[in-house]
Amino acid sequence: MTPVLDLTTNPRTTACLDVLDPATGELVGRIPAGSPEAVDAAVRAARAAQRDWARTAPGERGAALKAAARRLRAGAEELAELATREGGKPLADSLGGVEAGIGAIEQYAELGPLHRGRSLQGGWDAADLMVHEPRGVVALLVPWNDPIAIACGQIAAALVTGNTVVYKPSEKTPLSAARLVEILDLGEVLQLVHGDARAGRPLAAHPRVDLVIHTGSVQTG
């Protein structure tokens, strides 16, 4: 039997959610159900990391993402297998999602440093200036149906432009999300929170979150 991946700190005292293989009903893993306290800690960590990350040269941010994409490529098969176990997709489909995610990271790593703003001269005594600035802390609420591809594109777009990220995957596919964050290995600029609405609601409403990106149903949104 494949070992259960337990991402809880103390299942006896913390509300937990089981992650089941939809094909067999087998228990695949267990995660925290989420709490305002866990969300607040993640947002504060992302906020603390954001200033230095925003000051990092765009080319350096792009290089960090390129290195993360290389690590992800090396771990693609392992990640796809985990995504199939918890999400139920055929393995080839899961692997395609990982490869699409790698492509998105690589694309944003190239494009991000190019969009730096420009000065528009308005005459002898006036000038208009357009400057691209990070928004700050970005909350990502990612669905279960294509979790790696969607997450990678949104994470890369936010990070390469100088924002930091708090990433909440669907409670149906959280294990591959946790492994994705480990493989990317981007440090404090990418925070992960687990759970259902007990994490999603306080994250979307957190006063220190500057932008929320939600992909999913209107009802959930």
Side-chain angles (χ1 to χ4, degrees):
M1 177 179 287
T2 306
V4 173
L5 299 177
D6 193 340
L7 303 184
T8 61
T9 54
N10 189 342
R12 293 184 178 181
T13 59
T14 305
C16 301
L17 298 172
D18 289 340
V19 183
L20 304 178
D21 183 330
T24 66
E26 177 188 359
L27 180 66
V28 179
R30 189 174 289 110
I31 62 168
S35 68
E37 293 78 16
V39 167
D40 185 63
V43 172
R44 287 181 180 276
R47 175 66 64 186
Q50 198 272 325
R51 179 176 294 183
D52 286 344
W53 181 246
R55 291 174 175 172
T56 301
E60 291 183 34
R61 296 198 297 258
L65 286 174
K66 289 178 184 178
R70 290 193 294 270
R71 291 190 289 271
L72 185 54
R73 193 175 297 281
E77 291 187 6
E78 171 203 354
L79 186 59
E81 290 173 359
L82 183 55
T84 288
R85 286 185 64 207
E86 65 179 357
K89 281 188 172 187
L91 182 58
D93 198 350
S94 292
L95 185 57
V98 176
E99 291 171 345
I102 293 168
I105 293 173
E106 292 173 336
Q107 183 179 42
Y108 279 113
E110 293 288 343
L111 291 177
L114 299 180
H115 294 274
R116 301 308 310 145
R118 57 197 175 94
S119 177
L120 303 176
Q121 298 298 325
W124 290 104
D125 57 351
D128 293 327
L129 180 66
M130 180 178 68
V131 179
H132 293 278
E133 295 286 351
R135 294 293 296 271
V137 175
V138 179
L140 303 183
L141 305 174
V142 177
W144 60 268
N145 56 331
D146 201 0
I148 303 302
I150 293 172
C152 285
Q154 294 179 356
I155 288 168
L159 290 181
V160 80
T161 48
N163 304 283
T164 53
V165 170
V166 180
Y167 164 35
K168 195 204 87 65
S170 167
E171 64 274 19
K172 296 179 180 179
T173 53
L175 307 177
S176 57
R179 185 63 185 132
L180 172 64
V181 171
E182 288 177 355
I183 292 172
L184 293 178
D185 192 22
L186 289 164
E188 294 296 303
V189 299
L190 176 57
Q191 299 288 324
L192 176 68
V193 292
H194 285 302
D196 52 20
R198 285 168 280 190
R201 286 196 183 101
L203 178 58
H206 199 287
R208 295 180 73 85
V209 165
D210 300 290
L211 178 69
V212 176
I213 301 178
H214 165 257
T215 307
S217 68
V218 172
Q219 181 180 5
T220 302

